[in-house]
Amino acid sequence: MNYWLVKTEPEKYGWSHFTAQGRAIWDGVRNYQARNNLAAMKLGDQVLFYHSVSNPAVVGVGTVTREAYPDPTAPVEANGKPTPWCVVELEPALAFSQPVSLAQIKAEPMLANMGLIKQSRLSVMPVKSDEYDQILQWGMKFKV
DNA sequence: GCCAACGTTGGC
DNA sequence: GCCAACGTTGGC
């Protein structure tokens, strides 16, 4: 089991869209590093769902329900070469009772090496299991 | 709205 | 192959 984090702008496609549809095709990734991460996702992997830009925070968890296949929104080839872009399919697994803010993540020394902080522009990245556990624990706390 | 980080493009 | 210009992302 592997853990990941995907970013999305909630105004364009947020958690509410995701849960309303019950499924998402994670398309439109056009960065090689992000693409390689998508391609490495396996069925059942857990994916932190992160809202960027306004109120940056992890808001829930999705499960990989289909492994990488060619991105239908990408051209089949460019400059005579097949295009490398791919998508995965995700389903909502867990809605956080409390969003885990970027500020909270930054304030925790254990999470200081997360790609989210180190490589702020990458949109699909791996997460270590202990990092995932910590964020899940925060996210599933009951409100007081 | 501003700006830093950084990926991509294109001239040479 | 280098590097400047430019575009995009995303935090603040």
Side-chain angles (χ1 to χ4, degrees):
Chain A
M1 166 93 70
N2 292 309
Y3 303 97
W4 309 90
L5 182 147
V6 295
K7 290 183 185 174
T8 179
E9 292 189 36
E11 288 78 13
K12 293 181 183 166
Y13 187 93
W15 180 259
S16 58
H17 301 102
F18 186 34
T19 52
Q21 286 182 202
R23 193 164 71 111
I25 294 172
W26 215 255
D27 61 15
V29 170
R30 296 293 182 270
N31 168 284
Y32 279 94
Q33 204 177 344
R35 183 219 88 99
N36 291 341
N37 290 331
L38 277 186
M41 289 185 185
K42 296 295 175 193
L43 272 182
D45 281 0
Q46 301 297 106
V47 182
L48 296 173
F49 195 102
Y50 177 82
H51 282 169
S52 67
V53 185
S54 51
N55 280 327
V58 180
V59 294
V61 178
T63 303
V64 177
T65 51
R66 183 172 171 187
E67 296 178 6
Y69 62 96
D71 187 341
T73 70
V76 176
E77 56 176 47
N79 304 323
K81 292 181 177 178
T83 230
W85 310 122
C86 62
V87 299
V88 295
E89 284 178 11
L90 304 176
E91 281 180 11
L94 207 55
F96 281 3
S97 56
Q98 289 185 92
V100 177
S101 71
L102 178 62
Q104 189 176 354
I105 291 170
K106 278 185 163 178
E108 169 54 55
M110 197 197 106
L111 303 177
N113 287 319
M114 284 189 73
L116 186 64
I117 294 163
K118 293 261 169 177
Q119 237 185 315
S120 64
R121 291 187 52 200
L122 185 60
S123 61
V124 182
M125 67 189 83
V127 173
K128 294 193 182 72
S129 64
D130 55 345
E131 296 165 344
Y132 176 86
D133 290 343
Q134 176 63 79
I135 290 171
L136 194 73
Q137 199 185 321
W138 282 335
M140 295 312 287
K141 268 186 187 165
F142 291 110
K143 288 178 186 175
V144 282

